[in-house]
């Protein structure tokens, strides 16, 4: 079985997880989350501003309506995101800060809002390669034969979608290798049987 869920969820569903590598992987994980403000605007007050990434602040603004086909009836969809880092999220404060970023980048946006969605704590990634990572996760869960992990948190030098895809490939490869080894073992045992 391949578990492609966050490390904490793996621990919650595997009996005896507390005596497996799953707990070590969960405890060393450093999840990254963001607050996100999604807006549907009748028009974009400053159409030339399509992408802004903060260098000294943890904010990101993007407008991809035309390229991604997100708008309807001419509406423009924009997203502004604040990375939480090591600070505890505060939904009210984060939304106010995201609105202030919009005030700077798209003055007058409040007068053209047709839809607004605030997502105070979205998961970006459940873990990543960091200096405090002692145990590289997966693909095998050593204490549970036949159990493997995959996901953005099980990267081995990759990140985000690359980590998810690479870890899935490693998990499938390990599963296939282990299944072939078990098949050889079974065949080896049966060839030694004498029929009477």
């Amino acid at each position: 079985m391949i578990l492609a869920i966050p490390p904490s969820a793996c621990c919650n569903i595997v009996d005896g997880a507390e005596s497996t590598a799953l707990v070590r992987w969960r405890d060393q994980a450093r999840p990254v989350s963001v607050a996100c403000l999604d807006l549907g605007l009748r028009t974009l007050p400053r159409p030339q501003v399509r992408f802004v990434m903060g260098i000294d602040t943890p904010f990101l603004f993007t407008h991809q309506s035309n390229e991604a086909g997100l708008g309807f009836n001419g509406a423009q969809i924009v997203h502004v995101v604040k990375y939480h880092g090591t600070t505890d999220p505060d939904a009210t404060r984060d939304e106010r800060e995201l609105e202030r970023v919009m005030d700077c980048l798209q003055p007058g946006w409040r007068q053209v809002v047709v839809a607004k969605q605030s997502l105070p704590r979205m998961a970006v990634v459940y873990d990543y390669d960091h200096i405090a990572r002692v145990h590289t996760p997966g693909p095998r869960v050593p204490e549970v034969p036949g159990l493997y992990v995959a996901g953005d948190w099980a990267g081995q030098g990759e990140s985000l979608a690359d980590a998810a895809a690479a870890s899935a490939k490693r998990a499938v490869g390990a599963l296939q290798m282990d299944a072939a080894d078990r098949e050889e073992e079974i065949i080896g045992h049966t060839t030694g049987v004498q029929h009477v």
Side-chain angles (χ1 to χ4, degrees):
M1 175 181 291
I2 299 173
L3 297 177
I5 54 179
S8 57
C10 290
C11 289
N12 291 340
I13 67 169
V14 172
D15 285 339
E18 59 279 350
S19 58
T20 70
L22 292 170
V23 168
R24 292 189 299 277
W25 299 336
R26 179 202 62 201
D27 291 348
Q28 76 178 0
R30 290 187 177 172
V32 176
S33 65
V34 295
C36 181
L37 183 61
D38 299 322
L39 299 168
L41 308 175
R42 276 192 303 281
T43 61
L44 204 58
R46 293 177 63 198
Q48 71 276 18
V49 178
R50 305 183 64 74
F51 182 85
V52 176
M53 182 182 297
I55 294 174
D56 58 347
T57 61
F59 293 97
L60 171 75
F61 167 84
T62 182
H63 168 250
Q64 301 171 6
S65 294
N66 298 335
E67 293 82 358
L70 298 175
F72 53 93
N73 295 333
Q76 302 296 303
I77 310 300
V78 300
H79 314 280
V80 61
V81 172
K82 174 191 176 190
Y83 286 85
H84 290 131
T86 57
T87 62
D88 287 330
D90 177 321
T92 303
R93 180 195 66 217
D94 290 343
E95 187 171 351
R96 278 195 314 265
E97 288 178 3
L98 293 171
E99 288 175 348
R100 282 197 299 273
V101 168
M102 281 299 294
D103 290 338
C104 291
L105 300 177
Q106 297 290 333
W109 68 272
R110 295 170 199 269
Q111 287 73 44
V112 293
V113 171
V114 292
K116 179 179 176 182
Q117 172 179 260
S118 180
L119 302 166
R121 189 174 190 150
M122 288 180 54
V124 173
V125 66
Y126 291 99
D127 195 18
Y128 58 94
D129 278 337
H130 50 81
I131 198 160
R133 184 186 251 191
V134 178
H135 308 282
T136 302
R140 291 175 181 86
V141 178
E143 303 83 2
V144 185
L147 184 61
Y148 310 85
V149 295
D152 58 16
W153 63 275
Q156 297 178 8
E158 314 89 7
S159 62
L160 299 172
D162 290 338
S167 66
K169 186 175 180 179
R170 281 190 291 272
V172 169
L175 184 149
Q176 289 173 329
M177 185 184 313
D178 293 349
D181 289 348
R182 282 192 294 279
E183 186 176 324
E184 273 186 36
E185 189 178 310
I186 291 167
I187 291 170
H189 287 304
T190 58
T191 56
V193 174
Q194 296 205 358
H195 298 284
V196 182

